Amino acid sequence: MPGPHRGILGPNWMYYYDRCADDEVHSNRTGGAVKVLRPEDEWYLADLPARSNGAAGDETSDSSQDLLMTCAMVRQHVDFELFRLPRQRLVALDSELRCIAEDAATSQLSDSLVRKHGFASVAIWVQSLVMLRCKALKVRVHATDFCSICGAEAHLQCARCKKERYCSEDCQWDSWHMGHRKVCIDA
């Protein structure tokens, strides 16, 4: 399996995703064109009716294959957004994951799911989908901010610019010598 492509600003995780899933997606960079369904898409879709509370909707307009394809597109949209996070490592904040879930639940991709199961059920389902995808992709999730060097939970910050966060003085020292001193601005 290829590693992430290293650029000037660090690893490009979308390059990594494109190389790992190039048989699954078109290279149109939208994350919306699914060519191959993954086995877990059926599991994710099977979890949705269990969460549904019998919301009124257009039950007959979408076939199960269309709903499965919609589920796959929502899953792919979530993956795409997770890999677009501007990070050195695969880490995310709870608040960012809530925004990704809300965006996916309100997107046009999930319209047929909302018609069939109701918005509240789909919103809860997408939140669980985001957490499952984080677990599958090994994205570390933090409630508070995380270290810009190693990705652990941060308790320190740069005393000068107050933008960079660190878990230890060692990571702060490493960051300073890896180039933070060139971009650090007095606040």
Side-chain angles (χ1 to χ4, degrees):
M1 200 181 282
H5 176 69
R6 287 217 168 259
I8 296 171
L9 301 174
N12 179 351
W13 294 106
M14 279 311 297
Y15 172 84
Y16 172 74
Y17 181 67
D18 287 344
R19 296 288 74 75
C20 292
D22 59 358
D23 62 336
E24 176 188 339
V25 296
H26 296 291
S27 59
N28 62 3
R29 299 199 183 282
T30 63
V34 177
K35 286 168 54 176
V36 177
L37 294 172
R38 301 183 77 173
E40 61 262 25
D41 291 331
E42 292 179 6
W43 303 332
Y44 297 145
L45 184 62
D47 190 38
L48 181 59
R51 294 182 184 282
S52 180
N53 57 3
D58 191 5
E59 301 274 339
T60 60
S61 67
D62 295 315
S63 70
S64 61
Q65 187 64 26
D66 290 341
L67 289 175
L68 183 61
M69 191 61 85
T70 301
C71 174
M73 287 191 294
V74 170
R75 185 246 330 135
Q76 190 172 345
H77 176 78
V78 166
D79 289 353
F80 183 76
E81 292 299 324
L82 285 173
F83 281 112
R84 283 187 55 213
L85 292 174
R87 305 281 187 271
Q88 293 286 333
R89 304 203 184 310
L90 288 175
V91 292
L93 295 172
D94 277 336
S95 58
E96 292 172 322
L97 297 181
R98 282 193 298 274
C99 288
I100 289 172
E102 182 179 334
D103 181 46
T106 57
S107 71
Q108 289 181 344
L109 294 173
S110 61
D111 281 348
S112 62
L113 294 174
V114 169
R115 280 194 311 270
K116 183 165 176 91
H117 300 282
F119 179 76
S121 296
V122 171
I124 293 169
W125 173 76
V126 170
Q127 283 182 328
S128 70
L129 175 67
V130 168
M131 294 311 290
L132 288 170
R133 294 309 294 163
C134 284
K135 190 173 182 178
L137 299 171
K138 295 182 173 62
V139 175
R140 292 185 354 198
V141 180
H142 297 293
T144 60
D145 218 346
F146 46 85
C147 179
S148 62
I149 296 298
C150 70
E153 281 202 53
H155 305 289
L156 304 171
Q157 66 182 1
C158 176
R160 204 167 166 199
C161 68
K162 309 231 185 299
K163 292 181 181 175
E164 291 289 314
R165 306 266 182 208
Y166 308 104
C167 65
S168 67
E169 291 179 6
D170 292 337
C171 283
Q172 188 171 8
W173 190 89
D174 288 346
S175 174
W176 188 255
H177 292 283
M178 287 170 49
H180 179 63
R181 75 172 102 188
K182 294 175 185 170
V183 296
C184 186
I185 308 167
D186 286 64

